[in-house]
Amino acid sequence: MAVDTNMRVLIVDDYKTMLRIMRNLLKQLNFNNVEEAIDGSAALGKLRDGEGDYGLIISDWNMPNMDGLELLKTIKGYPELETIPFIMITSETEKDKVDEAFKAGVNQYIFKPYKFKYFEEKIQQTLGKNL
C-alpha cells in the first residue's frame, strides 16, 4: 500500500533554511501539501485552530518559545491530535534525550545531518507504507 502524498504535512523549524531543505526533500518524495511553522507554539496554533487534518508532523527539537519536545508532549495530551505521526529531527544525540523523546511518544528520530535516503526510510517507517 502506498502513502497518500496529498496528506497535509506540517514541518516545524525556526531556521528558514531547514524548512526549505525539508520542503524540498518532501517534494522529492511527491508530498505536495506541506505547511510550515517557525516554532512549536505556531505549530500548535495551526493544529488547534482546526485548519485541517495533518497526516504527519516533522519537527526540530531546539526552537524558541516552544521546543519540539514540548510540542510533542502537548500534542499527545489532546485526543484529537495524539494520533498524528511525529518525527523529531535534531542534533540532540544523547541517549537520555533520545529516550525522553520516545517516552513522550515520538514515532521516529532523525539525527542531523542526514541524507535523503535516511529521511525517506524514516518517513516510510513512521507511516508504515511505501512511498
Side-chain angles (χ1 to χ4, degrees):
M1 180 181 260
V3 169
D4 175 11
T5 55
N6 289 316
M7 76 168 68
R8 292 178 74 195
V9 178
L10 180 60
I11 55 176
V12 189
D13 201 300
D14 57 322
Y15 287 106
K16 293 277 186 199
T17 302
M18 288 308 301
L19 288 170
R20 190 172 60 247
I21 289 168
M22 281 191 280
R23 181 180 286 280
N24 288 337
L25 292 174
L26 288 164
K27 188 174 185 174
Q28 289 178 51
L29 295 171
N30 298 314
F31 286 94
N32 300 308
N33 200 354
V34 179
E35 297 181 24
E36 301 175 1
I38 59 168
D39 61 30
S41 184
L44 188 59
K46 284 181 172 276
L47 291 160
R48 294 198 55 218
D49 284 347
E51 292 183 20
D53 294 329
Y54 290 91
L56 178 64
I57 299 169
I58 303 173
S59 178
D60 185 30
W61 184 313
N62 296 307
M63 298 177 289
N65 301 319
M66 178 186 279
D67 67 28
L69 184 63
E70 189 178 347
L71 172 63
L72 173 63
K73 289 178 178 179
T74 303
I75 287 170
K76 294 302 179 183
Y78 288 96
E80 67 274 17
L81 303 175
E82 69 180 353
T83 59
I84 301 172
F86 195 108
I87 297 174
M88 187 82 71
I89 296 182
T90 184
S91 55
E92 296 286 349
T93 59
E94 298 171 24
K95 184 179 178 340
D96 290 347
K97 295 274 190 181
V98 175
D99 289 346
E100 186 177 8
F102 278 106
K103 234 179 176 173
V106 78
N107 295 87
Q108 292 293 330
Y109 199 94
I110 298 175
F111 297 107
K112 292 179 185 175
Y114 53 90
K115 296 190 184 294
F116 172 77
K117 192 67 180 162
Y118 185 69
F119 183 79
E120 179 182 29
E121 288 171 6
K122 291 298 182 180
I123 290 177
Q124 286 180 335
Q125 290 169 1
T126 300
L127 300 177
K129 299 174 183 173
N130 293 326
L131 294 173

